[in-house]
Amino acid sequence: QVQFVESGGGLVQPGGSLSLSCAASGSIFRLIVMGWYRQAPGKQREFVALITSGEFTNYADSVKGRFTISRDNAKNTVYLQMNSLKPEDTAVYYCNTAPVGATTRWGQGTQVTVSS
């Protein structure tokens, strides 16, 4: 099981930007599909974006055109660039492998708050 540590969250005004980072352990990072997920208070965790080992990407409709996922295999890191942020983007953001399921183990995530 690869371990992940998220960072980069914070408070930002609507329309602003944030960049999240996810540092991973393990020598197989370059071979696995990585994803970003988020969970708002009182809501279920939801898919945000994924990137394959070949750097093909997929996004949830709610963030398409605003968020960009990328990876640096040499640094064992995956990124999420978030632009044009909306209050409904407020959530704890997590990174993990993709796909995920009932047995997936989650880290602490990083808090993103979009508010004026």
Side-chain angles (χ1 to χ4, degrees):
Q1 178 68 44
V2 180
Q3 302 295 314
F4 308 107
V5 179
E6 303 92 344
S7 63
L11 175 64
V12 64
Q13 294 184 356
S17 299
L18 279 175
S19 183
L20 307 183
S21 297
C22 172
S25 63
S27 61
I28 64 168
F29 176 81
R30 66 182 181 87
L31 303 176
I32 61 177
V33 180
M34 290 293 302
W36 283 97
Y37 310 83
R38 67 187 183 186
Q39 186 169 29
K43 299 182 180 179
Q44 294 183 332
R45 200 188 321 267
E46 65 177 352
F47 165 79
V48 175
L50 67 79
I51 183 166
T52 71
S53 60
E55 300 194 26
F56 292 98
T57 58
N58 189 39
Y59 299 90
D61 288 342
S62 58
V63 307
K64 198 173 302 179
R66 300 187 297 120
F67 291 11
T68 302
I69 187 171
S70 61
R71 67 194 298 163
D72 186 338
N73 291 335
K75 297 181 178 179
N76 272 23
T77 303
V78 62
Y79 306 94
L80 186 68
Q81 177 64 47
M82 305 184 295
N83 299 323
S84 302
L85 283 162
K86 306 174 181 179
E88 51 262 46
D89 295 318
T90 295
V92 178
Y93 283 71
Y94 303 88
C95 65
N96 220 306
T97 56
V100 296
T103 62
T104 297
R105 300 177 71 92
W106 301 91
Q108 68 177 37
T110 186
Q111 176 72 49
V112 172
T113 302
V114 185
S115 176
S116 58

